[in-house]
Amino acid sequence: MIRFLLKGLFRDRQRSLLPVIVVVTGVLLTVLMQTMMTGILGDLIDFNAKFSTGHVKVVTKAYAERMDQTPNDLALSKVAQLKEKLQTEFPSMEWVPRIRFGGLIDAPDSIGETRSQGPAIGWGIDFLSAGSKEAERMNIPKSMVSGHLPKKAGEVLLSNQFAEKLKVVPGDQITLFGSTMNGGMTVYNFKVAGTVIFGSGVLDRGAFIADISDVGQALDMPDAASEILGYFKNNRYDKIQAADAVKKFMSAMNTADPYAPVMISLRDQNNLGEMVDYEDLVSVMIISIFVMAMSLVLWNAGLLGGLRRYGEVGVRLAVGESKGHVYRSLIWESILIGSIGSVIGSVIGLLLSLWIGKNGINVSGFMKNASMMMPSVYRTVITSPAFYIGFIPGLFATVIGTALAGIGIYKRNTAQLFKELE
Amino acid sequence: MESNKTVITIRNLVKTFPMGNREFTALNGINLSFAKGEFSGLVGPSGSGKTTLLNIIGTLDSPTEGEAIVLGDSVGELSQKKAANLRNMKIGFVFQTFNLLPVYSTFENVEFPLLLQKMSAANRKKSVMDALDWVGLTDKAKSRPAQMSGGECQRVAIARAIVKKPEIVLADEPTANLDAENSHNILKTMEKLNQSLGTTFLFATHDEKVIGYLKRIIKLVDGKVASDEIFAKK
Ligand SMILES: Nc1ncnc2c1ncn2[C@@H]1O[C@H](COP(=O)(O)OP(=O)(O)OP(=O)(O)O)[C@@H](O)[C@H]1O
Ligand SMILES: [Mg+2]
């Protein structure tokens, strides 16, 4: 009997191939959407962590209150000592000071007159000391499009777009106009070492990245830094550990002093908390949306298939099959179809995710004007839910759809089923 | 050879269908009985209730009032499962549209009722081939319905109806989609079955060719029996 039913199922493409294709498509989309969302959110968090927030960040209390203005007059001082303290207290993290600043870049012509100028978003990071991972952390070596990394004092990287706007190439001289830690004016010359493309709107418009000691000198910030960023050694943000670190650090702090350092975790910066929490919600949301959509689609497909099959069902009943037997065989069919479709859909979805995870999808075309710190190459990330998430809409929706459609068989009386085929 | 055992008894049978907010009476006070081995037919104008009566006798539908006792069971009181079992074991259907399952071969279509009976594979094969032999289609065992003529399809349907050696075969306009030659062919086959196995046949038909073979003709008009004639020998 089972063989007989299977034969019928596989010979009738409308009953097997078509629903399998529907299920495969839905499952594949579910898996892709899940890995995509996980990837995008993960990247977004990661990107922010690397360029801006760290996994935790230490700044002065006063700086924290106006962090988006990078108020370097409120910067941390005695940085070497503070860094050492952090390193001994939190050995599982790596601590890196950075200077963030804004300024005006001026490109002079051969006689020293202004040729072009533009506003810069500046970074002073540790390029030059041995063993520094800062350049890698910001993915600079891979983002280089011309020139080389700063190898000695006085060298700077510009975002490629910025360099083109200023009409400068590696080797050219540029001048930074900025303000010192004490509120004075400063003018400092750099040599362009290379240009980079980060693939993020904000960064690509006006990034200026030099070694922290140069920037410290330019802005008159000896042994000072805007912030000290802490990174977990496995490079993954762990919200619980981060919260623990903050708690430990803050309990020992004198909070009355506006220049006292405070520690802030990633989730409390740039509204990333919502993102971090959202990451957990994504799976639930995607599953619900797809289960609903697919149930509707498959229910309709089941209804149509059911209607189409009233004739067959009528014959089977006339020949002496019971309604229960017919109904159960329809359910078994749908379990089979749902499972096959879910497996195939999940495999294809995972393979596609693997490929997109490796190669990425460039969406920079859509994000020219984005001001958020967003990477413009999307990558999928496969986490364990990706392996089973597709089965929920794939299997459950198929079976539920068939179960609902099949109720028609019970509701109609047998003679009626017959009429409908004539 | 023919016993006089009654296989179908119909008493005061009324069947109504809901039509909008009124009721439509398709069968109105039918009283009939059929003995084992009869070769009889329901005739009458379209809409007179022939199919409705056959469906009730075949347990595909149930009476609104009165009763239809088929092989000792009252149709209206059978559970869905028992009715299915009765159809499977003892009643064969032949329809106007042949109603074969298109994805299955001739052999598989005929085999299906036996699968439901959980008959062993060896017995199934023998029974199916016997039934195909009866209708002269042993060489088409592997063909699909789409590859066969209407007459051949109807012979497959007859083979499916008789493969389980039913007590009763109900045939609703079995010749309506067939030409004269094929009609006579299948009617002769059914007559032969009736004579050699004592199977009770009940037709519903307009077809003069069919009427020519019948030994008893029951005329229905407006859901009532208008006449009931028995022909001793034709
Ligand atoms: N399920 C149903 N619902 C409503 N009315 C029905 C239903 N089945 C049959 N009828 C009506 O009952 C009457 C008898 O129908 P039936 O099919 O038994 O006629 P028939 O004698 O077989 O006609 P024909 O010779 O055209 O096949 C018809 O008027 C038909 O419209
Ligand atoms: Mg009819």
Side-chain angles (χ1 to χ4, degrees):
Chain A
M1 191 72 210
I2 292 170
R3 259 188 61 199
F4 185 82
L5 292 173
L6 285 180
K7 254 190 261 176
L9 183 60
F10 289 115
R11 284 183 198 164
D12 186 351
R13 298 246 164 103
Q14 292 226 45
R15 246 162 86 195
S16 46
L17 195 63
L18 214 69
V20 165
I21 290 172
V22 172
V23 175
V24 165
T25 312
V27 167
L28 187 150
L29 288 176
T30 309
V31 172
L32 262 188
M33 189 128 145
Q34 203 273 343
T35 56
M36 201 78 196
M37 294 292 273
T38 309
I40 291 171
L41 281 175
D43 275 359
L44 189 66
I45 290 166
D46 198 44
F47 196 81
N48 275 279
K50 285 174 172 166
F51 280 86
S52 166
T53 64
H55 293 144
V56 297
K57 177 191 269 190
V58 175
V59 292
T60 66
K61 191 168 168 250
Y63 186 99
E65 277 155 20
R66 291 162 47 201
M67 199 139 69
D68 49 335
Q69 299 163 22
T70 61
N72 278 331
D73 50 327
L74 307 173
L76 294 163
S77 50
K78 296 192 186 131
V79 166
Q81 191 191 332
L82 181 56
K83 181 181 163 184
E84 198 137 313
K85 184 184 159 216
L86 286 166
Q87 224 130 32
T88 44
E89 229 172 296
F90 304 97
S92 66
M93 300 179 96
E94 189 182 336
W95 298 94
V96 291
R98 286 184 190 171
I99 298 175
R100 302 280 301 272
F101 60 98
L104 191 74
I105 305 298
D106 185 289
D109 60 17
S110 49
I111 51 166
E113 299 279 312
T114 295
R115 184 160 47 121
S116 53
Q117 51 177 227
I121 306 169
W123 267 270
I125 66 168
D126 186 359
F127 271 118
L128 301 179
S129 60
S132 167
K133 293 182 200 138
E134 284 281 86
E136 270 77 23
R137 181 170 291 125
M138 292 171 84
N139 201 29
I140 293 172
K142 282 189 189 149
S143 308
M144 298 285 303
V145 287
S146 68
H148 56 81
L149 287 174
K151 282 186 287 206
K152 52 182 193 286
E155 289 190 327
V156 65
L157 293 179
L158 296 180
S159 67
N160 200 53
Q161 201 181 325
F162 195 30
E164 277 170 9
K165 185 177 149 201
L166 295 171
K167 301 189 189 71
V168 295
V169 293
D172 285 355
Q173 199 76 27
I174 54 170
T175 309
L176 164 70
F177 293 87
S179 52
T180 69
M181 194 172 169
N182 309 313
M185 255 296 270
T186 178
V187 179
Y188 202 86
N189 287 330
F190 287 90
K191 196 174 119 191
V192 178
T195 62
V196 286
I197 294 179
F198 289 111
S200 159
V202 200
L203 293 182
D204 283 335
R205 234 169 286 149
F208 174 103
I209 310 171
D211 187 69
I212 189 164
S213 54
D214 281 339
V215 175
Q217 218 162 352
L219 304 182
D220 196 14
M221 293 172 72
D223 197 24
S226 314
E227 54 200 27
I228 300 178
L229 303 179
Y231 291 97
F232 292 111
K233 294 228 160 108
N234 65 1
N235 276 330
R236 295 189 61 162
Y237 176 62
D238 178 332
K239 57 184 171 188
I240 296 166
Q241 277 194 53
D244 286 349
V246 169
K247 209 167 139 200
K248 183 175 168 199
F249 185 83
M250 295 307 285
S251 68
M253 271 303 133
N254 167 13
T255 45
D257 176 5
Y259 289 94
V262 292
M263 190 185 283
I264 314 163
S265 80
L266 174 146
R267 62 166 299 138
D268 295 320
Q269 303 174 55
N270 295 12
N271 294 327
L272 288 174
E274 285 166 29
M275 292 288 170
V276 174
D277 297 335
Y278 189 62
E279 198 174 15
D280 302 333
L281 261 176
V282 164
S283 299
V284 178
M285 278 182 38
I286 292 173
I287 291 174
S288 344
I289 292 170
F290 269 82
V291 164
M292 266 173 33
M294 295 245 313
S295 296
L296 281 176
V297 168
L298 289 166
W299 181 20
N300 273 297
L303 277 177
L304 291 178
L307 283 173
R308 207 179 63 87
R309 293 180 68 182
Y310 275 171
E312 177 204 335
V313 169
V315 175
R316 285 166 62 174
L317 293 173
V319 168
E321 199 171 345
S322 68
K323 282 185 177 178
H325 196 276
V326 172
Y327 190 71
R328 280 193 300 277
S329 79
L330 292 180
I331 297 290
W332 278 113
E333 261 180 36
S334 72
I335 291 175
L336 193 67
I337 297 279
S339 308
I340 293 174
S342 299
V343 169
I344 298 176
S346 294
V347 168
I348 299 178
L350 287 170
L351 287 177
L352 273 175
S353 299
L354 211 63
W355 189 85
I356 298 173
K358 252 186 160 172
N359 298 297
I361 293 180
N362 195 327
V363 292
S364 54
F366 302 109
M367 324 215 327
K368 283 235 160 65
N369 301 314
S371 56
M372 231 176 134
M373 286 261 265
M374 285 264 285
S376 61
V377 174
Y378 287 174
R379 282 174 203 285
T380 47
V381 168
I382 298 175
T383 50
S384 53
F387 289 91
Y388 60 77
I389 195 169
F391 281 80
I392 298 172
L395 190 54
F396 285 73
T398 313
V399 175
I400 290 168
T402 309
L404 290 174
I407 289 173
I409 291 173
Y410 269 110
K411 283 251 177 85
R412 255 160 249 260
N413 75 43
T414 311
Q416 194 66 28
L417 283 166
F418 247 98
K419 277 255 158 55
E420 271 158 48
L421 92 147
E422 276 162 17
Chain B
M1 190 178 133
E2 279 181 22
S3 81
N4 277 332
K5 195 180 124 200
T6 304
V7 289
I8 303 165
T9 308
I10 291 155
R11 279 194 215 108
N12 304 322
L13 179 69
V14 175
K15 178 69 186 178
T16 58
F17 293 109
M19 260 186 65
N21 42 19
R22 288 180 296 119
E23 299 251 289
F24 176 81
T25 307
L27 295 173
N28 192 0
I30 305 277
N31 282 291
L32 283 170
S33 75
F34 298 90
K36 179 171 164 58
E38 281 203 55
F39 200 78
S40 49
L42 306 169
V43 301
S46 184
S48 56
K50 303 183 294 294
T51 299
T52 307
L53 183 54
L54 274 197
N55 281 343
I56 291 173
I57 293 171
T59 75
L60 292 175
D61 212 343
S62 50
T64 312
E65 280 171 41
E67 57 180 357
I69 294 164
V70 178
L71 298 167
D73 287 311
S74 177
V75 171
E77 285 157 21
L78 281 177
S79 71
Q80 194 277 122
K81 213 169 171 167
K82 284 217 172 94
N85 195 46
L86 182 67
R87 288 197 294 275
N88 184 215
M89 304 304 286
K90 301 196 168 149
I91 302 173
F93 282 94
V94 180
F95 302 93
Q96 171 178 347
T97 53
F98 322 121
N99 286 339
L100 300 177
L101 300 172
V103 292
Y104 294 107
S105 69
T106 295
F107 185 94
E108 289 161 342
N109 265 286
V110 178
E111 184 188 25
F112 180 55
L114 305 181
L115 281 165
L116 289 172
Q117 292 183 358
K118 303 196 165 65
M119 190 185 273
S120 74
N123 286 345
R124 281 202 311 264
K125 180 152 194 206
K126 187 176 177 311
S127 300
V128 171
M129 290 321 281
D130 282 351
L132 289 179
D133 196 27
W134 262 103
V135 298
L137 279 178
T138 41
D139 55 331
K140 299 266 176 175
K142 292 207 171 106
S143 306
R144 297 266 184 95
Q147 302 161 336
M148 293 188 293
S149 73
E152 287 168 336
C153 285
Q154 195 61 303
R155 275 146 69 197
V156 176
I158 293 169
R160 182 179 61 192
I162 60 157
V163 70
K164 55 200 180 189
K165 308 245 162 56
E167 308 241 356
I168 302 168
V169 171
L170 302 171
D172 194 351
E173 318 267 12
T175 56
N177 288 325
L178 300 179
D179 61 17
E181 194 191 330
N182 274 308
S183 297
H184 284 295
N185 265 335
I186 69 133
L187 282 161
K188 280 188 188 127
T189 306
M190 297 212 229
E191 199 174 42
K192 196 169 59 160
L193 272 162
N194 170 251
Q195 279 161 9
S196 52
L197 298 177
T199 311
T200 308
F201 277 79
L202 180 57
F203 293 82
T205 190
H206 298 285
D207 186 352
E208 286 302 326
K209 296 187 290 298
V210 178
I211 293 169
Y213 284 79
L214 297 177
K215 305 214 175 69
R216 178 181 175 193
I217 296 174
I218 296 145
K219 187 167 185 190
L220 294 185
V221 176
D222 289 340
K224 287 185 180 141
V225 176
S227 67
D228 184 350
E229 293 175 89
I230 298 179
F231 303 88
K233 193 82 196 164
K234 282 229 152 186

